Amino acid sequence: MKKLTLALVAHDAKKDDMADFVAMFENDIRPFTLFATGTTGGRVMERCPSLSVTRLKSGPLGGDQQIGAMIAEGKIDTLFFFVDPLSPHPHDVDVKALMRLALVYNIPMALNRATAERLIESFRD
Ligand SMILES: O=C(CO)COP(=O)(O)O
């Protein structure tokens, strides 16, 4: 059976949360083929060295758009995007575009840790 793909993205203020989350649910996350924006992927691999994560560009340099394009191509099954709602982001249009494509293609999308925890549990057999 084809492995499901999971994309991980976190704004700077949420990167600790993302690394903690992945470490806590490492066994649930391991079966997925993992993609991440550049810095998020680096932090996740630092925390969980046994996980293999394909790192795309950093968000502000096009990483969000790369993940959006992969969603449009049917290459991403699930998106965990830990959003910082309290800081301005220079690439906010890219952030919105990524969320929009996740909605257009109706893929499961968790925008905070509480939702991601419940969603990842739903993939258990
Ligand atoms: O900016 C991001 C999401 O919008 C994430 O990008 P990085 O993981 O490279 O910080």
Side-chain angles (χ1 to χ4, degrees), residues 39-87:
T39 321
T40 302
R43 288 288 302 278
V44 166
M45 285 200 290
E46 221 171 74
R47 185 69 179 271
C48 302
S50 72
L51 287 180
S52 164
V53 182
T54 300
R55 290 168 67 194
L56 304 166
K57 286 183 180 286
S58 184
L61 297 179
D64 290 355
Q65 296 238 20
Q66 286 181 294
I67 291 180
M70 290 178 75
I71 291 172
E73 291 167 345
K75 293 178 179 164
I76 298 290
D77 299 304
T78 307
L79 172 64
F80 291 173
F81 186 171
F82 290 9
V83 173
D84 168 16
L86 299 178
S87 307

Side-chain angles (χ1 to χ4, degrees), residues 58-66 68 81 90-100:
S58 184
L61 297 179
D64 290 355
Q65 296 238 20
Q66 286 181 294
F81 186 171
H91 58 305
D92 197 46
V93 287
D94 295 15
V95 171
K96 288 204 173 69
L98 171 54
M99 291 177 188
R100 182 178 167 278

